[in-house]
Amino acid sequence: MFTSISGRTAIVTGGSKGIGFGIARVLAGAGANVLVCGRDEEALRRASEALSDLSGRVDTAVVDVADPESCHDMADRAHREFGGIDILCANAGIFPSVRLEEMSPDALELVMSTNFKGTVYALQACLADLERSGHGRVVVTSSITGPLTGYPGWSHYGASKAAQLGFIRTAAMELAAKGITINAVLPGNIRTEGLDELGQDYLDQMAATVPQGRLGDVADIGHAALFFATDEAGYITGQSIVVDGGQVLPESLMALQDM
Ligand code: NAP
């Protein structure tokens, strides 16, 4: 039904693990060439191996999105390896928990520079290639936390995720003339390797707060990103989509119990 993205080139920041890995798997499965990026070389090697049997070609790059120069190296690598950039999935993010009383300026800066500034730096580095492609697509991984909900310990994280949404609304206007769209996916609680460490009881409790009764799979976010990357989504820009199994819908605990 949708025009294929086969043969197009995608960069996925934070693609070595979790949601980014899921996005990379969906895009490479749809035939896109994918540059998978992260800071840990060993995690990148494992991701590349796990993605090796898909139809798209996969390469990896050690990148720190909080460093603009590193983002430029990333874009150069995609350009050299695959001849350009059609899709940027700005997904890399961190979520250390700390309450306000304990939050140091460095802790605040680290979250903002990775999650928010890292999104901006990655886009700036890829801008020329995305424009040249004639159908540039940027998909930002935000969160329900910040834009829609709150969670103690994550005020800085929530602010960084809300900042991404503020950013894309004006960026979308600047990018429109370049033929580039920019949109965001807001995941609810998604099952990643990190969450698995919390144990089955904890995971079951989390799933019980979701109307659909399950945590999200990384592929659920990958499919939303794939949609934004298609030609058919070309008239959508500056928008966001919540992918959470209905997690933000219950207005109270009672509403959940009454389902
Ligand atoms: P994850 O499993 O910890 O994966 C994070 C990825 O980002 C890893 O590949 C990590 O690789 C990379 N990364 C972290 N800092 C980086 C940096 N400075 N430069 C480059 N890469 C970096 O996390 P996740 O749960 O998949 O989260 C991915 C995104 O989804 C984040 O933006 C997060 O805010 C968002 N999100 C997650 C959930 C959820 O339930 N999991 C819900 C809502 C939103 P290295 O550590 O090797 O660099």
Side-chain angles (χ1 to χ4, degrees):
M1 179 185 162
F2 292 109
T3 307
S4 169
I5 63 159
S6 184
R8 293 193 180 169
T9 294
I11 290 180
V12 183
T13 68
S16 60
K17 279 186 272 180
I19 288 176
F21 179 78
I23 295 172
R25 189 165 53 193
V26 169
L27 298 185
N33 301 318
V34 182
L35 184 68
V36 175
C37 306
R39 292 164 304 174
D40 176 7
E41 210 161 355
E42 179 51 27
L44 287 168
R45 195 196 55 72
R46 282 197 302 272
S48 161
E49 209 172 283
L51 297 169
S52 61
D53 58 346
L54 299 170
S55 50
R57 278 168 58 207
V58 172
D59 193 14
T60 61
V62 174
V63 175
D64 180 354
V65 294
D67 173 2
E69 218 168 289
S70 183
C71 289
H72 279 285
D73 291 346
M74 168 183 84
D76 288 348
R77 174 68 170 271
H79 190 95
R80 269 200 321 276
E81 193 63 30
F82 297 126
I85 305 166
D86 304 285
I87 304 157
L88 166 67
C89 294
N91 165 83
I94 54 171
F95 27 88
S97 174
V98 61
R99 298 244 177 182
L100 273 176
E101 299 85 339
E102 310 294 330
M103 192 186 297
S104 67
D106 283 351
L108 178 59
E109 175 56 24
L110 184 63
V111 166
M112 293 306 285
S113 65
T114 306
N115 298 0
F116 170 57
K117 294 181 193 174
T119 299
V120 181
Y121 296 150
L123 170 55
Q124 286 177 315
C126 297
L127 209 46
D129 277 289
L130 287 167
E131 180 174 10
R132 220 171 289 124
S133 87
H135 46 237
R137 296 281 185 273
V138 184
V139 185
V140 173
T141 309
S142 175
S143 177
I144 58 169
T145 311
L148 296 170
T149 64
Y151 201 106
W154 278 343
S155 59
H156 55 346
Y157 172 77
S160 73
K161 296 281 120 179
Q164 290 176 309
L165 296 193
F167 170 71
I168 68 167
R169 294 193 184 103
T170 292
M173 296 171 67
E174 295 187 23
L175 297 178
K178 302 178 190 296
I180 302 170
T181 69
I182 181 166
N183 293 289
V185 181
L186 278 59
N189 288 150
I190 307 301
R191 188 156 184 174
T192 58
E193 301 90 322
L195 269 193
D196 281 347
E197 289 163 15
L198 301 173
Q200 195 56 47
D201 281 355
Y202 188 85
L203 294 178
D204 290 345
Q205 275 177 40
M206 285 176 84
T209 66
V210 181
Q212 288 192 355
R214 69 168 178 92
L215 297 178
D217 187 86
V218 294
D220 293 319
I221 309 305
H223 290 127
L226 173 62
F227 168 66
F228 279 136
T230 61
D231 287 350
E232 285 74 9
Y235 202 53
I236 305 172
T237 195
Q239 301 303 314
S240 56
I241 185 167
V242 174
V243 182
D244 74 340
Q247 187 178 343
V248 299
L249 299 177
E251 64 181 41
S252 68
L253 203 53
M254 222 155 42
L256 257 182
Q257 287 159 353
D258 279 352
M259 271 181 56

